[in-house]
Amino acid sequence: MTQTPVGRRERKKAATRQAIADAALRLFLERGYDGVSLREIADAADVSTTTLFKHFSGKEALVFDQERDNEAQLIAAVRGRGGQGIVGALREHFLGAHLPFAQHPQAAEFVALVDATPALRSYAERMWTRHADSLSAAMAEECGADHDDVTCVALARFVLEIPALVRGRPDPRAAIEAIFDILTRGWVPPLPVGDTYCRSL
């Protein structure tokens, strides 16, 4: 988990960053990503554009303002798990960190914004790749394996697909649990639905 800033200066910086991100998301959802300028975001947050760039590297980063913390938390879940297995630690992480996002009332709007904006989709794909590389490297290090061990790479990529797999499901918690059950116990064919059953799988 991200630690709450304890110093006055740190709290002020965190509050300013959050105000900028909140203003950006509100304007993007109201008018679309391409219909909002950085100057308008800065004005809405009551800061200068110079201050905005002190907190964010660019316009896309305003949309994914928590991704740096999210990546750090993924790595921390792997490295700080104590005696727990990696898959179990990642299950707890997703239930504790991703589930609140999936249940957020603006989650569907956020996803629609990203899906409808080529620049954001491209940014998200690059970010996904960085997260996958970092996560697989952390797992390999914990296991004493080569940094590009294929099993670690596969697990990292599968785990990072969970948000997309869970998106829109009526019960996100049950969906997350079901996915991690596959990782811990293997795949079990679905129960019969009427007369249909995957006998060949």
Side-chain angles (χ1 to χ4, degrees):
M1 298 294 291
T2 302
Q3 293 184 344
T4 302
V6 293
R8 181 178 179 182
R9 181 180 178 85
E10 288 74 17
R11 290 197 304 271
K12 185 176 180 179
K13 287 174 62 177
T16 299
R17 178 182 173 85
Q18 190 62 56
I20 296 170
D22 289 346
L25 182 59
R26 175 174 56 79
L27 291 173
F28 291 152
L29 292 178
E30 288 175 357
R31 293 158 46 189
Y33 178 79
D34 293 324
V36 181
S37 70
L38 290 173
R39 164 56 66 183
E40 289 172 316
I41 294 168
D43 289 344
D46 195 24
V47 300
S48 67
T49 53
T50 300
T51 297
L52 186 152
F53 279 114
K54 286 181 179 178
H55 292 275
F56 297 96
S57 58
K59 194 174 177 182
E60 297 95 338
L62 287 160
V63 178
F64 301 98
D65 62 293
Q66 297 182 10
E67 286 310 309
R68 182 174 56 187
D69 289 340
N70 290 343
E71 181 177 7
Q73 290 169 20
L74 273 170
I75 304 308
V78 171
R79 291 180 173 163
R81 68 191 190 282
Q84 189 178 30
I86 289 176
V87 173
L90 288 171
R91 180 198 293 257
E92 288 189 3
H93 169 75
F94 271 85
L95 289 173
H98 177 70
L99 192 58
F101 170 78
Q103 297 173 328
H104 194 282
Q106 287 187 307
E109 289 181 276
F110 177 86
V111 171
L113 172 69
V114 175
D115 288 345
T117 310
L120 293 180
R121 291 201 308 271
S122 177
Y123 186 91
E125 289 170 3
R126 295 194 304 271
M127 183 178 64
W128 186 93
T129 300
R130 290 196 304 271
H131 289 2
D133 290 345
S134 298
L135 181 58
S136 63
M139 290 190 294
E141 182 179 338
E142 288 294 305
C143 297
D146 291 338
H147 75 280
D148 61 346
D149 179 84
V150 68
T151 62
C152 294
V153 173
L155 178 58
R157 292 188 179 185
F158 185 81
V159 165
L160 288 171
E161 288 288 355
I162 290 176
L165 294 170
V166 170
R167 185 182 305 154
R169 298 281 177 175
D171 188 345
R173 174 178 288 275
I176 291 174
E177 294 280 16
I179 291 169
F180 275 101
D181 283 347
I182 294 174
L183 294 174
T184 55
R185 297 198 293 265
W187 183 75
V188 178
L191 293 173
V193 178
D195 295 328
T196 302
Y197 189 66
C198 301
R199 296 184 182 277
S200 63
L201 300 177

